[in-house]
Amino acid sequence: MANGARGAHALLWGVSAIALCFSGVSEATAQAREPDAAQAAPSTQDTKQKNAKRSKKRQQIVAQAPDQSALNANAQAQGSVQSLDTITVAATKMEERAVDALAPVSVVTLEQIQRWQPNRVGDLLYNVPGVWLQDRGDDPATSINIRGLQDFGRVAVVVDGARQNYQRSGHSANGAFFLDPELISNIEVVRGPTANIYGSGAIGGVVSFRTKDIDDVVRPGERWGSDWGIMGGTNDMRGMVSGFGGVRVNPNVDLFAGGSWTTQSNYKDGMGVTVENSANKTGSAIAKATVRPADGHELKLGGIFQDFDYDNGQPRRALGLPFSQPGTGGNGTSIYATNVKNYQTSLGWRYQRPEDQIFDWDAKVYWNRTESDQVKIAHTATTPAFGTACARRGLPGNAISGCIGDWRSYLIDTIGFDAHNTSRFEHGSWRHALTYGGDIFQDDVSTADFSGNSNATTPGGRRTVSGAFAQWKVGYATWFDLISAVRYDNYHLSSANTTTEGDRFSPKVTFALLPTYVVTPYVSYAEGYRAPSVTETLVDGAHVASGPGQGDTSVCADGSRGFFCFLPNPHLRPEVGKNKEIGLNVKKDDLFTAGDTLRAKFNVFRNDVSDFIDGVQFAGPPGRNLYFQYQNIAHARIEGFEAEVFYDANLWFVGVSATIQRGENVQTGIGLVTVQPRKITTTAGVRMFENQLTLAMQWTSVEANTDIPATYLAGTSYDLLNAYLTYKPHRDITVNFSVDNILDEYYRPYAVPRAADFTSTQNDVLWSSAAPGRVFKLGARFHFGGA
């Protein structure tokens, strides 16, 4: 089907679903003028009395609200839970439902995670508005793009509050993290710098992962519980086993532990071609201990260990296979046997009592380490590069990527602390919530390469980033809410040869009308500040080439030769994002029938990023040399529209997630390569046999970005059709069956860099970026528990 027709059909279906939801907006609009009886504005005579009642009710919300993880763990037994009704704290650090947040917030629940049976984290996020992935098949790491921004901390990724700052230079994204999806209980996504109070650098947004805990396996009324899972799949083979258990030792002590093991063979893309080195094995373990030493106080100590084994890189593809090219250049890369270990430890202290309006704090200290060890097992040529140490040793290889059999390693340690408190008070019809706090983290990067130069292209160094914020939320009766905030950021980056630092104040303000009504419009302005990373500032050395006469026409300052030379840039300025947003939240129960629910969030935004940092290729002296350097682009602009709508009629449901956006370098008028123009996901399903059986279909239609620099090959437009079946024959047994990519379509979700000559593509990315073809998956989950 042609891209235009495909996009038109996707848009038609999406608009139709939205129109279905808004066929009841006339009723909602009428009620916007006059609230529900339970929410009617107080009369003059009893204003104080009702304000007091409202204050007491607000104080009791947290205490009375059921734990969302417990709801998610039992969602299939009790019927579906609206994901936009899930409690979130990512936008304002205050507990609120996602649909009520005055920010573009989306939530992925445990019920959805188990239904989708993900093979990697990206499987859980690709249909979230504004979110894209730049993953490789030969690397289990995940790289998240929000509203066209990614890499180097533009999207702050946190796991149980701990920053994930792993990044390594290569042909893939320069910002990724490792996380076993079986450990995840909940995901919160905030798009844009509106969550600037959450942490430094997040001009693109925040993705917060909460891992499983005791409430996910011990049901209400149980003292102990355990959940066990198993899953198998095709294309060609994949499997998973997991087990998690917890016990409430007494009302004040909880213990939880578990883990999983996953394996996958090389998969085939939609053309039936095997994506080499897409096989991997993953093992993970998690443990948590929770102690409540006094009323309202909770201490939680947690630890995570993960181990990933895989081969990274692509061999030369034989002639006749798709995308093969004659000759030597660009037909594969070195291959490395890779082991990645991730360690995370955190200690949190939470205090919360409904009657205490002065103190409501959350503090956490954490340590996160990712270490990658690689051994080179294959080279692009069978002979060593002339005049190199590899030649003297008689081993295939070169001075850039090293010799076969040699090792290289990369290690990043992140230590951080985060604390904040919320104080609440009221007078008359005014409500106030003052949230204030601070955070600091330090990245310590060290690299080593026995015979190559990856310690130059991914340089070691230390970066310290700190900040503090204050946020004031004020509401007047049922008329409006106003959120104003300011954040202060400071960074210091140092290495053996370079020291750089900077700081800035970033404001935020949001205004919403009728916050308790069916329809809540709001406007927002927020700024974000991102410090340059170690790699952007210090990267140096030559890009790999095979040897003299094989494209190594550039001679770098250290005497090495390559396709081009990386240049450090210690004068990089921090990026500043300035985001303008108009939003609309919609929530209505009993819209058409008793018990049905409508939830929707709409956003129009424009993010102007000054001093945007991007990689630039250029020629320099001597004239035959090519260089690559991270430089500040004066102005980049990204703007678009997002929608998330879900209607649940109990026996059936339908939802639409849509993103339409564009981004460009304002100076050149050329589009930004990381900005995808359109994505529309439509989900529909039915429930049968008193919710024992759920059938769902999901269709995602994506338009590729072709407005990109000539040094990139555009990704593909595609349609992705998935089907899901969940059967619950017993409250303790759940069977999941799914089919991913039913149409067996070949697709590459993102643009692929071209080589330095601007003609041939970097084929390893071209081949490894292709997603799997059709996959059948069958899984089962079992619960055991007792009082």
Side-chain angles (χ1 to χ4, degrees):
M1 183 181 295
N3 292 344
R6 178 167 51 204
H9 287 158
L11 186 59
L12 178 61
W13 278 97
V15 171
S16 298
I18 293 175
L20 170 67
C21 296
F22 272 85
S23 61
V25 165
S26 57
E27 175 186 350
T29 305
Q31 295 186 16
R33 299 191 186 97
E34 186 174 59
D36 294 340
Q39 298 172 335
S43 63
T44 305
Q45 291 82 356
D46 57 4
T47 295
K48 292 185 179 181
Q49 181 180 1
K50 291 199 173 184
N51 282 338
K53 291 181 179 179
R54 183 170 55 248
S55 173
K56 184 177 181 180
K57 182 178 180 180
R58 286 177 177 269
Q59 295 172 22
Q60 293 174 345
I61 285 177
V62 173
Q64 294 176 351
D67 187 280
Q68 289 300 311
S69 59
L71 281 176
N72 292 336
N74 298 284
Q76 293 175 343
Q78 302 172 359
S80 178
V81 176
Q82 281 264 19
S83 62
L84 287 178
D85 281 339
T86 305
I87 300 297
T88 177
V89 297
T92 61
K93 288 187 178 287
M94 294 188 295
E95 293 183 340
E96 58 189 343
R97 294 191 303 171
V99 72
D100 294 327
L102 304 180
V105 178
S106 297
V107 176
V108 179
T109 66
L110 181 60
E111 179 196 12
Q112 294 170 316
I113 295 171
Q114 294 180 346
R115 179 198 308 150
W116 294 335
Q117 303 186 99
N119 194 56
R120 58 192 303 161
V121 173
D123 296 341
L124 303 173
L125 294 169
Y126 78 92
N127 60 351
V128 175
V131 176
W132 308 83
L133 290 307
Q134 189 170 325
D135 297 343
R136 288 179 59 128
D138 57 2
D139 192 331
T142 297
S143 177
I144 298 177
N145 173 312
I146 297 182
R147 291 182 173 177
L149 295 174
Q150 64 181 57
D151 294 342
F152 302 119
R154 291 186 178 102
V155 174
V157 177
V158 295
V159 176
D160 291 338
R163 296 279 296 230
Q164 311 293 306
N165 292 344
Y166 177 88
Q167 55 194 49
R168 185 170 188 166
S169 295
H171 288 174
S172 54
N174 283 298
F177 65 99
F178 293 85
L179 183 60
D180 180 0
E182 190 65 13
L183 299 180
I184 302 171
S185 174
N186 175 275
I187 309 173
E188 301 173 26
V189 179
V190 183
R191 301 180 291 278
T194 186
N196 61 1
I197 67 167
Y198 202 88
S200 179
I203 63 172
V206 174
V207 182
S208 177
F209 295 87
R210 186 180 69 81
T211 60
K212 290 178 179 176
D213 207 337
I214 190 167
D215 290 324
D216 296 302
V217 297
V218 178
R219 297 176 177 176
E222 294 180 344
R223 185 174 180 182
W224 66 272
S226 64
D227 281 353
W228 301 85
I230 185 170
M231 187 272 290
T234 63
N235 189 4
D236 275 334
M237 185 278 291
R238 58 193 69 206
M240 182 278 296
V241 293
S242 68
F244 300 89
V247 59
R248 301 191 188 278
V249 179
N250 58 51
N252 295 318
V253 177
D254 299 335
L255 300 177
F256 169 82
S260 74
W261 182 82
T262 305
T263 183
Q264 174 184 295
S265 299
N266 289 342
Y267 66 75
K268 290 182 173 63
D269 62 27
M271 290 184 178
V273 177
T274 298
V275 177
E276 299 293 341
N277 297 326
S278 54
N280 60 74
K281 296 179 180 178
T282 301
S284 63
I286 186 172
K288 297 181 181 180
T290 305
V291 178
R292 302 173 188 86
D295 187 20
H297 294 267
E298 180 178 277
L299 301 177
K300 187 180 293 291
L301 175 65
I304 297 174
F305 170 75
Q306 301 178 92
D307 184 274
F308 300 82
D309 281 306
Y310 59 99
D311 292 343
N312 178 246
Q314 292 292 302
R316 185 178 305 156
R317 182 168 288 188
L319 291 176
L321 291 179
F323 303 114
S324 62
Q325 292 183 1
T328 303
N331 278 273
T333 59
S334 300
I335 298 175
Y336 300 88
T338 305
N339 175 256
V340 172
K341 289 183 171 62
N342 174 261
Y343 310 83
Q344 179 172 307
T345 300
S346 61
L347 176 63
W349 178 17
R350 183 84 170 94
Y351 170 76
Q352 184 182 62
R353 296 180 64 184
E355 65 274 16
D356 190 340
Q357 296 193 48
I358 303 301
F359 296 106
D360 180 354
W361 75 67
D362 194 350
K364 185 182 296 288
V365 60
Y366 61 86
W367 167 68
N368 184 51
R369 164 177 287 189
T370 301
E371 56 183 36
S372 174
D373 295 310
Q374 296 185 317
V375 176
K376 185 171 179 175
I377 59 176
H379 187 63
T380 53
T382 57
T383 58
F386 177 78
T388 65
C390 299
R392 292 191 294 271
R393 296 164 59 194
L395 297 172
N398 59 34
I400 307 300
S401 62
C403 314
I404 284 184
D406 288 347
W407 57 266
R408 65 185 189 180
S409 65
Y410 172 89
L411 173 68
I412 178 170
D413 278 309
T414 301
I415 299 175
F417 173 76
D418 178 284
H420 64 274
N421 181 67
T422 298
S423 300
R424 299 175 176 85
F425 56 96
E426 298 187 12
H427 64 278
S429 297
W430 296 88
R431 309 175 303 276
H432 303 269
L434 180 63
T435 304
Y436 43 92
D439 55 84
I440 183 172
F441 68 83
Q442 183 179 87
D443 293 332
D444 195 347
V445 178
S446 60
T447 61
D449 196 329
F450 184 80
S451 57
N453 79 332
S454 63
N455 53 337
T457 55
T458 304
R462 178 174 294 175
R463 180 180 68 149
T464 302
V465 178
S466 60
F469 72 90
Q471 173 186 268
W472 176 44
K473 181 176 181 179
V474 57
Y476 178 75
T478 58
W479 290 104
F480 70 83
D481 277 348
L482 173 67
I483 302 174
S484 58
V486 62
R487 178 178 175 85
Y488 170 76
D489 285 298
N490 176 281
Y491 79 95
H492 179 87
L493 187 154
S494 63
S495 68
N497 302 315
T498 300
T499 299
T500 181
E501 60 186 9
D503 62 351
R504 189 178 191 274
F505 286 94
S506 301
K508 165 187 168 181
V509 61
T510 302
F511 179 78
L513 287 173
L514 311 172
T516 63
Y517 285 56
V518 174
V519 178
T520 301
Y522 66 89
V523 294
S524 178
Y525 175 81
E527 295 184 4
Y529 178 79
R530 186 186 76 88
S533 69
V534 173
T535 295
E536 289 170 306
T537 306
L538 304 178
V539 64
D540 200 359
H543 184 278
V544 63
S546 299
Q550 301 298 321
D552 54 348
T553 56
S554 295
V555 182
C556 304
D558 60 359
S560 61
R561 304 173 68 95
F563 288 132
F564 58 83
C565 302
F566 291 101
L567 288 181
N569 189 352
H571 304 296
L572 275 178
R573 297 181 299 277
E575 297 174 337
V576 177
K578 300 179 180 180
N579 190 71
K580 285 73 67 177
E581 193 132 10
I582 300 174
L584 189 71
N585 296 339
V586 180
K587 57 181 184 295
K588 185 69 175 77
D589 298 334
D590 304 324
L591 180 60
F592 298 118
T593 62
D596 69 354
T597 57
L598 170 67
R599 301 291 183 266
K601 292 179 76 73
F602 303 92
N603 300 90
V604 178
F605 69 91
R606 189 175 86 177
N607 192 3
D608 290 287
V609 184
S610 58
D611 289 327
F612 181 78
I613 300 174
D614 201 4
V616 177
Q617 283 185 341
F618 59 94
R624 63 191 182 124
N625 272 15
L626 283 174
Y627 294 98
F628 180 95
Q629 185 182 49
Y630 288 101
Q631 299 179 0
N632 290 107
I633 296 175
H635 188 186
R637 174 173 295 163
I638 304 171
E639 55 192 2
F641 165 78
E642 297 164 344
E644 187 171 14
V645 183
F646 194 83
Y647 174 76
D648 192 334
N650 298 314
L651 295 180
W652 59 275
F653 54 89
V654 61
V656 175
S657 165
T659 302
I660 301 173
Q661 62 183 8
R662 64 181 182 181
E664 66 176 4
N665 179 335
V666 176
Q667 274 63 47
T668 65
I670 299 176
L672 300 177
V673 70
T674 56
V675 176
Q676 299 288 359
R678 192 201 67 222
K679 176 179 66 174
I680 301 174
T681 297
T682 301
T683 304
V686 295
R687 304 184 185 94
M688 297 179 287
F689 310 120
E690 297 181 344
N691 289 342
Q692 283 187 310
L693 180 67
T694 302
L695 297 172
M697 298 285 291
Q698 189 175 81
W699 175 26
T700 299
S701 179
V702 175
E703 178 187 356
N705 183 11
T706 57
D707 181 20
I708 56 178
T711 51
Y712 285 86
L713 175 69
T716 60
S717 298
Y718 60 92
D719 288 298
L720 188 61
L721 185 64
N722 301 334
Y724 308 98
L725 181 150
T726 299
Y727 177 54
K728 198 170 184 67
H730 185 274
R731 67 186 301 270
D732 296 329
I733 301 174
T734 303
V735 178
N736 291 293
F737 174 73
S738 60
V739 187
D740 296 342
N741 195 0
I742 294 175
L743 304 178
D744 202 18
E745 183 164 353
Y746 172 87
Y747 66 101
R748 291 180 292 102
Y750 55 92
V752 173
R754 298 183 186 272
D757 57 11
F758 302 161
T759 57
S760 62
T761 58
Q762 293 179 346
N763 281 354
D764 67 305
V765 189
L766 181 67
W767 302 335
S768 64
S769 63
R774 186 184 299 114
V775 181
F776 295 89
K777 291 183 285 189
L778 177 64
R781 295 186 180 271
F782 308 91
H783 175 80
F784 303 92

